[in-house]
Amino acid sequence: MNSALHKPIETPSQIRRLPMTLVNQIAAGEVIERPASVVKELVENAIDAGASDIEVALENGGTTLIRVRDNGRGMNPTDLALAVERHATSKLPDDDLLAIHFMGFRGEALPSIGSISRLTITSRARGAVDAFSLHVEGGAVGEITPASLAGGTLIEVRDLFYAIPARLKFLKSARTEITNAVDIIERLAMAHPDIRFRISHDGRMMRDFPALTQDWLSAAPLRLEKILGAGFAANVAAVEGEREGIRVTGFAGLPTYHRGTNQAQYLFVNRRPVRDRLLLGVIRAAYQDYLARDRHPVAVLFLEVPTSEVDVNVHPAKAEVRFKDSQMVRGLLLGAVRAAIGATSQRASTTVAEQALSSFRAEPYGAQEAALNKISGNPYAAPAAGFAAPNVPLWGKEYLPPQHKAQAPQAAQVAAYADAPLGAAVAQLHNTYIVAQTKDGLILVDQHAAHERIMYEKFKAQMSADGVARQMLLLPEVVELSDAQAARLLARTEEWAKLGLILEGFGETTVLVREVPAILGDSDVAGLVRDLADDLSLYAEGLALADKLEAILSTMACHGSVRAGRTMRIDEMNALLRQMEATPFSGQCNHGRPTYVSLAKADVEKLFGRR
Ligand SMILES: Nc1ncnc2c1ncn2[C@@H]1O[C@H](COP(=O)(O)OP(=O)(O)O)[C@@H](O)[C@H]1O
Ligand SMILES: [Mg+2]
């Protein structure tokens, strides 16, 4: 055979191995996004080194200098040289990716940082007499030289991203970068109250969290109070739960202690801060009953999971984790958080009382609720004895014509409810608040919030009986939606029927509403259906049906409730007060705001110097 015929023609090779510095810079692209990422990696290394005191100093938002000093176990010269090599780590002694007991394990932070900045590491191994130093500049590793250092490790990162200027363009203002770095420190500090953390910028101390010597469970709330503000401890409930070796502890904010973003939700898996979509979704689900869509609870939750049950190697910066049995973790967390907030459902946040009533020097909100409990025994069971609601519908077709004017109460009406826990209605303010006179004070009711809670509890009661009672519309309501919204809604027609809504598709983008929940009366059906379609698009696929239902009932209740701005007659107001007395959780609307506030007569007297 003529071998020449089969000899492949040589073409120039197109594939090459990348130089190590480039490899490290590519890794840095994932791991080091901004100065705060460097802070995170270096401080995690210090924690892994067993430090009890960690000090971070930044200059110019961290762009010219990031310095981290720790008093951990340090490194000897051999380890120092290895530390800046790619995939070199002391943290995977058994080659077992499912037994990770440190914050780090990928062995890429230091080489990545060294490839894009001027990095100097100085370290003195515990017990050693000498310290050594190593400089890496744009990936070029220098010689190990003797240095002087009392102990631990000192890392200096100068001119971050100088070697890959494209990244510099993505940096935000110094202030934003500092905020991010402080956030990293706070998250790590929450999980490690026994370590002292300090962070300064351009010589100014930004945060200083002293080490706490108490056991973890008592130290954690003290550290959290320092980070999340005074008032944290007074406005949270302890969370505790355990299932199949997985433990959750932490603190769930009262529904009335809410924020505008979910930034105050802190999640930790084996003390590692994570921002996990699954876990954040669970928090939202747990509070669905209590909070408006645009309000977010405060929560700090620590999950302790056997290392074999969780994979932390799913995200380059380790911000996400994957659980072996995510449904179980989800159930555990949801149950524990719900139990915690359920146990405090009659407590409203102290901030409500302080902010809204400070000028009145009112007793803390909730005292009235306590009084109510005393008077009617079990406030959830039945209307307060002897104070039957006047037979006045608050919703539906019999609603007041808009021209109707509120009238003054008859003396007889005031007398009839003089002893009722929520008193006798005497006036309406701004068509929004009901003023009621109680035996020893006065209360102010938010009519929409209160009615919404009542409607919600009615829906819930009907659901747990035989489904929501329906009422046929004379003419079906025609609702135009996007095709995605329509499809999402119509995919669940059977479930909607149980909730009292009979929906029918009509072309790609039109939904016909044939029947609505009877308790909704004459509300804006199209608006309701649109809101429900929005609701559906918000929930993660993984959420259980029951969780969605609660939010959906809440949307329905909102639509069926007396609006703020609606004039009410005295007998209607009294009817509402009596229903509140008979309704569980009536002190708080579905969105976590209080439904009423109270002021004792004694306090009114103090205001006027009568006491
Ligand atoms: N502050 C420190 N104190 C002691 N040892 C350190 C410190 N920082 C880094 N090291 C050592 O350098 C190694 C490499 O660090 P790094 O690149 O962050 O990777 P990883 O943390 O994933 O191991 C670590 O495994 C550790 O042994
Ligand atoms: Mg590391």
Side-chain angles (χ1 to χ4, degrees), residues 385-553:
F387 302 110
N391 192 15
V392 178
L394 286 168
W395 53 88
K397 296 188 170 42
E398 292 98 322
Y399 228 126
L400 288 188
Q403 70 274 16
H404 176 90
K405 289 277 176 296
Q407 352 124 301
Q410 306 290 317
Q413 274 179 312
V414 178
Y417 301 118
D419 290 332
L422 295 179
V426 292
Q428 190 188 23
L429 301 181
H430 301 294
N431 287 341
T432 300
Y433 304 103
I434 298 167
V435 186
Q437 174 180 320
T438 58
K439 205 162 126 201
D440 43 28
L442 66 92
I443 66 165
L444 216 46
V445 177
D446 178 330
Q447 66 193 41
H448 173 67
H451 194 212
E452 189 180 287
R453 171 51 73 176
I454 291 166
M455 293 289 283
Y456 176 76
E457 293 299 335
K458 271 196 178 147
F459 268 118
K460 253 176 123 160
Q462 289 196 3
M463 274 305 290
S464 50
D466 351 295
V468 174
R470 296 194 297 259
Q471 166 195 313
M472 177 111 84
L473 296 175
L474 284 180
L475 289 174
E477 181 90 22
V478 181
V479 188
E480 284 298 330
L481 298 163
S482 75
D483 43 1
Q485 280 180 317
R488 256 197 304 268
L489 272 177
L490 293 170
R492 295 175 175 259
T493 44
E494 270 171 40
E495 291 162 40
W496 291 124
K498 275 193 223 129
L499 284 158
L501 266 184
I502 302 294
L503 302 179
E504 214 174 274
F506 188 77
E508 298 280 281
T509 59
T510 307
V511 171
L512 296 184
V513 187
R514 297 209 173 268
E515 295 177 44
V516 296
I519 47 181
L520 283 185
D522 258 1
S523 55
D524 165 21
V525 175
L528 168 67
V529 169
R530 271 191 212 102
D531 276 6
L532 292 175
D534 283 350
D535 278 352
L536 278 188
S537 66
L538 273 178
Y539 305 128
E541 283 308 307
L543 281 189
L545 195 60
D547 305 320
K548 290 178 186 163
L549 290 183
E550 289 184 10
I552 286 161
L553 291 185

Side-chain angles (χ1 to χ4, degrees), residues 115-234:
S115 72
I116 56 173
S117 69
R118 304 182 223 278
L119 165 72
T120 310
I121 310 177
T122 308
S123 194
R124 175 166 160 187
R126 201 165 275 162
V129 186
D130 299 311
F132 295 88
S133 187
L134 176 61
H135 186 74
V136 185
E137 183 139 351
V141 181
E143 297 290 311
I144 292 189
T145 54
S148 91
L149 189 74
T153 301
L154 169 67
I155 301 203
E156 292 185 312
V157 178
R158 290 183 191 275
D159 305 328
L160 183 66
F161 297 134
Y162 92 93
I164 45 166
R167 260 298 159 101
L168 282 173
K169 284 206 298 271
F170 293 99
L171 289 179
K172 303 265 169 57
S173 68
R175 188 187 304 172
T176 306
E177 297 302 344
I178 292 153
T179 308
N180 284 325
V182 167
D183 183 66
I184 294 284
I185 294 297
E186 289 185 338
R187 284 173 193 275
L188 290 170
M190 284 179 181
H192 299 277
D194 53 329
I195 301 178
R196 176 174 190 186
F197 291 90
R198 273 172 287 182
I199 180 166
S200 66
H201 179 247
D202 289 345
R204 203 167 76 85
M205 188 61 76
M206 311 288 300
R207 296 288 188 278
D208 184 352
F209 302 119
L212 296 166
T213 50
Q214 296 90 332
D215 66 287
W216 191 73
L217 266 184
S218 8
L222 297 174
R223 172 72 50 101
L224 289 168
E225 179 110 324
K226 194 124 200 302
I227 295 169
L228 293 169
F232 174 81

Side-chain angles (χ1 to χ4, degrees), residues 41 44-45 48 91 103-105 107 109 318:
E41 294 297 333
E44 286 185 355
N45 279 346
D48 282 345
K91 302 171 192 174
M103 310 282 298
F105 58 87
K318 293 158 278 180

